[in-house]
Amino acid sequence: MLAYTLRRIGGAAVVLLLVLTMVFLMLHATPGGPENAYLGNNPTPEKREAVMAQLGLDRPLWAQYLSFVLSIVTLDLGTSLTTGTPVSELLGDRMLITLELGLVSFVVWTVVGMVFGAVAAARRGRALDGIVRVGSVVALSIPSFWLGLVLVMVFGLYLPGVLPSSGWVAWGDGVGEHLKALVLPAFTLGLGAAGVIARTLRTSMIEALDADHVTFGRALGLGERTLLTRIALRNAVIPTVTVVGMMLGTFIGGAVLIENVFNIPGVGQLVVSSFLAHDYPVAIAATVWTAGAFLISTLVVDLLYFAIDPRIRIQFLGRTR
């Protein structure tokens, strides 16, 4: 288990380094630069050179890259070019909002998707199964960005006061209002994922119910409820865990769009505003945080998969011998 964990952590570190490199190169390839956040309109060449020297932008590209990677590794995120506030402070407050939105949506829609998937498998071929299959296809086919805009329009223009169509309410301003502000963004963020989870669990459970050992158990007189919950559901959980884990990263990354649609002051909104303002320290920190959250969720799924699936353990031990 330790060797497997170390290998997966090493792989995640390599991927994170690749992400850092891509972010660094993309920022240097885009028009304008971080010095523009200081220069304002019609800067003189002398002032531009002075600012670039102050920010270290006059050094060779490889030297800037090494400093960039070192600052990320040592968690020295610097200060915002536009506000002078430490990036860690800006990111810390918004991380909590993004994590809450992502985790609430993830937990609620994962439970909904698994319940509907299990019910559809238990009612295979019946009307309820058809409703779940059609509903899951519709759910995963709707672009979340478009759905969010439609909900903002509907609840902002036609159903005012029912649910907040925009903005964020902190816990300290009222638990009820806070939860109401979560409903529409969480619904938009997780609807498609629930469709994917429902379809995955339904397919896995049907395959498990058609297996020979389940048929043998049915011949021995085991009830359908026992076969469904103790055998089929247990076997179907393994492939579903992979999908659910990938969805966790999608929930965190997908919040970038949803937060901007619903005007939520999370990391996603911070990413967009920092890129527009050429505030590169903030943009880099927010992007790396998003990538790191996705990699950590993937790592957790890999370890969980290793723990619950004996085939993965046997395959890994066979390779290491």
Side-chain angles (χ1 to χ4, degrees):
M1 183 69 181
L2 180 60
Y4 185 83
T5 303
L6 293 177
R7 179 174 293 188
R8 284 291 177 267
I9 292 176
V14 171
V15 174
L16 186 59
L17 182 61
L18 292 175
V19 172
L20 289 174
T21 305
M22 290 180 61
V23 170
F24 175 81
L25 295 177
M26 289 173 65
L27 288 176
H28 279 74
T30 53
E35 69 274 13
N36 290 328
Y38 283 104
L39 294 173
N41 297 325
N42 302 319
T44 62
E46 293 77 12
K47 186 177 180 180
R48 179 178 293 276
E49 291 180 1
V51 170
M52 291 187 69
Q54 178 185 351
L55 298 177
L57 299 175
D58 57 343
R59 296 179 297 166
L61 189 63
W62 64 267
Q64 295 182 48
Y65 175 74
L66 289 179
S67 298
F68 165 72
V69 174
L70 185 62
S71 64
I72 297 297
V73 172
T74 58
L75 300 180
D76 180 14
L77 303 179
T79 58
S80 169
L81 298 181
T82 55
T83 65
T85 306
V87 175
S88 56
E89 289 185 14
L90 288 175
L91 200 57
D93 295 338
R94 294 172 179 256
M95 279 170 53
L96 297 177
I97 295 175
T98 299
L99 283 175
E100 181 184 359
L101 173 61
L103 291 178
V104 167
S105 182
F106 171 77
V107 171
V108 171
W109 284 109
T110 297
V111 172
V112 171
M114 295 190 73
V115 168
F116 276 98
V119 170
R123 299 289 187 271
R124 177 174 42 169
R126 300 180 183 177
L128 187 57
D129 180 28
I131 294 173
V132 172
R133 282 189 294 162
V134 173
S136 60
V137 171
V138 172
L140 61 90
S141 301
I142 299 177
S144 58
F145 185 74
W146 178 84
L147 176 62
L149 292 176
V150 170
L151 291 176
V152 168
M153 183 182 67
V154 170
F155 284 89
L157 296 178
Y158 304 109
L159 298 172
V162 178
L163 288 172
S165 61
S166 180
W168 181 255
V169 180
W171 279 100
D173 297 331
V175 176
E177 294 301 318
H178 176 79
L179 295 178
K180 287 174 66 178
L182 266 174
V183 173
L184 293 183
F187 178 83
T188 306
L189 187 59
L191 181 63
V196 175
I197 293 170
R199 290 184 66 84
T200 302
L201 186 63
R202 175 190 176 275
T203 302
S204 300
M205 285 191 67
I206 287 177
E207 290 178 355
L209 287 170
D210 291 338
D212 292 339
H213 61 279
V214 174
T215 304
F216 182 71
R218 191 177 287 116
L220 292 177
L222 293 177
E224 287 298 321
R225 183 184 296 274
T226 301
L227 294 172
L228 190 68
T229 57
R230 296 188 179 181
I231 300 178
L233 184 59
R234 183 175 299 177
N235 292 333
V237 162
I238 294 176
T240 308
V241 165
T242 303
V243 175
V244 171
M246 296 300 294
M247 288 295 159
L248 177 58
T250 305
F251 275 89
I252 303 297
V256 173
L257 286 175
I258 302 306
E259 287 174 2
N260 284 279
V261 170
F262 290 97
N263 192 27
I264 297 175
V267 176
Q269 195 180 64
L270 184 65
V271 169
V272 175
S273 61
S274 58
F275 270 100
L276 291 176
H278 296 285
D279 196 346
Y280 287 174
V282 180
I284 289 170
T287 304
V288 170
W289 180 86
T290 304
F294 186 85
L295 289 175
I296 290 173
S297 65
T298 305
L299 177 64
V300 171
V301 171
D302 283 345
L303 298 179
L304 189 60
Y305 209 60
F306 184 84
I308 64 177
D309 192 347
R311 294 171 298 181
I312 300 297
R313 296 196 293 273
I314 294 173
Q315 186 178 18
F316 177 75
L317 292 175
R319 288 178 181 176
T320 53
R321 284 176 181 171

